[in-house]
Amino acid sequence: MQPSSMGKGLAVIAVALAITACDRHDPPSDRLERAAEELVSEVDSEALPAQQPEGPWAPRNECNAVPGGTDFLASLQAAIDTRDADALVALAADDVKLDFGGGAGAGELRERLAANDGELWDTLVELLELGCAATDETTMTLPWYFAQDIPVDPYGGAVVTGEGVLLHSTPTDNAPVRAQLSWDAVEMLPDQPGDSAFAHVSWTDPDSADVLEGYVPRAMLRSIIDYRLIASRRNNRWRITALIAGD
């Protein structure tokens, strides 16, 4: 285990021990939150990449500069690392929004964390790797790119989640390469190649303004309106107020 990982692991264990030691008459969410806050300084803030990837929409962290931002992200990291539903729900607002059809609330969040073999936990792991945007010290948004003005249609747009991703002329690995994309935004074209592992996209070269069409691995694309986590400052404390996809 690397030193940083070991430090984070020990801090997470310490959080668990502190929870056990708390007054058993306290509400569980209060005990969890208080224990996390008391020990969060021991957790390295590793929720975001240490080295800035290259590309216009690459993950970056603006939230450590916000009062309470570092502690909130570290508590979020600890809850996700241990898949601790109590700890995550303690970070959420009672009215946390979960979809556009009326799904909301801490109880509903707990149910969704347990559903589909923990698929929502996997989504949260992914979100931590995609950066955090801060707005006026009142709102934090993961992924970072969701809070930016990306010049593509958000409904049909996607972000290339990597550096040096090849844009092929046809949907095969050995096809000629038209460009290399690094955390660029692309438009998904309607004539998708069936069950292919490739997606048909268009990309506008920011230097020449030329529009190139081609194919990129579907696994390297993330919809602009895919899941995002919104945290808001309420009563001087950060709370998850939305964990939602679509529009």
Side-chain angles (χ1 to χ4, degrees), residues 146-157:
F146 186 77
Q148 313 309 311
D149 186 15
I150 302 178
V152 298
D153 177 6
Y155 297 98

Side-chain angles (χ1 to χ4, degrees), residues 16 20 33 37 40 68 72 79 108 112-113 122 124-125 130 142-143 145 151 154 164 174 189 192 210 225:
T20 303
E33 184 176 1
E37 289 176 348
V40 74
F72 174 80
E108 179 66 17
R112 295 190 184 196
L113 289 169
D122 296 334
L124 288 164
V125 170
L130 292 173
L142 293 80
Y145 71 71
N174 57 0
L189 297 177
Q192 293 299 316
D210 291 339
I225 58 172

Side-chain angles (χ1 to χ4, degrees), residues 71-235:
D71 288 356
F72 174 80
L73 289 177
S75 295
L76 181 64
Q77 173 89 60
I80 293 171
D81 282 350
T82 56
R83 299 207 168 197
D84 188 333
D86 287 336
L88 189 73
V89 169
L91 293 173
D94 291 339
D95 59 349
V96 56
K97 186 174 183 178
L98 301 170
D99 59 43
F100 290 98
E108 179 66 17
L109 173 59
R110 187 185 298 276
E111 290 184 11
R112 295 190 184 196
L113 289 169
N116 300 322
D117 295 323
E119 183 177 316
L120 188 55
W121 286 113
D122 296 334
T123 296
L124 288 164
V125 170
E126 180 184 23
L127 284 173
L128 284 176
E129 299 172 351
L130 292 173
C132 183
T135 306
D136 298 330
E137 298 189 353
T138 60
T139 304
M140 294 192 287
T141 304
L142 293 80
W144 172 84
Y145 71 71
F146 186 77
Q148 313 309 311
D149 186 15
I150 302 178
V152 298
D153 177 6
Y155 297 98
V159 170
V160 177
T161 57
E163 297 177 72
V165 178
L166 303 181
L167 179 70
H168 293 278
S169 59
T170 61
T172 58
D173 284 323
N174 57 0
V177 174
R178 305 205 66 192
Q180 291 191 30
L181 310 182
S182 294
W183 291 96
D184 284 289
V186 298
E187 296 255 13
M188 302 283 287
L189 297 177
D191 55 331
Q192 293 299 316
D195 296 329
S196 171
F198 288 83
H200 190 193
V201 303
S202 67
W203 170 68
T204 302
D205 186 328
D207 296 323
S208 66
D210 291 339
V211 178
L212 301 179
E213 290 189 18
Y215 298 83
V216 296
R218 199 177 296 275
M220 298 302 296
L221 296 176
R222 191 176 194 274
S223 170
I224 291 175
I225 58 172
D226 203 341
Y227 265 101
R228 58 268 189 192
L229 183 152
I230 311 296
S232 304
R233 196 168 179 84
R234 292 183 174 179
N235 299 321

Side-chain angles (χ1 to χ4, degrees), residues 28-77:
S29 61
D30 289 351
R31 285 188 280 120
L32 284 162
E33 184 176 1
R34 187 163 58 251
E37 289 176 348
E38 289 172 355
L39 293 164
V40 74
S41 61
E42 299 179 31
V43 181
D44 291 332
S45 182
E46 298 179 39
L48 302 167
Q51 183 175 355
Q52 174 65 44
E54 295 186 3
W57 312 115
R60 60 201 69 186
N61 181 17
E62 301 170 350
C63 297
N64 282 343
V66 175
T70 298
D71 288 356
F72 174 80
L73 289 177
S75 295
L76 181 64
Q77 173 89 60

Side-chain angles (χ1 to χ4, degrees), residues 4-17:
S4 61
S5 298
M6 181 178 296
K8 185 175 70 175
L10 291 173
V12 170
I13 293 171
V15 169
L17 292 173

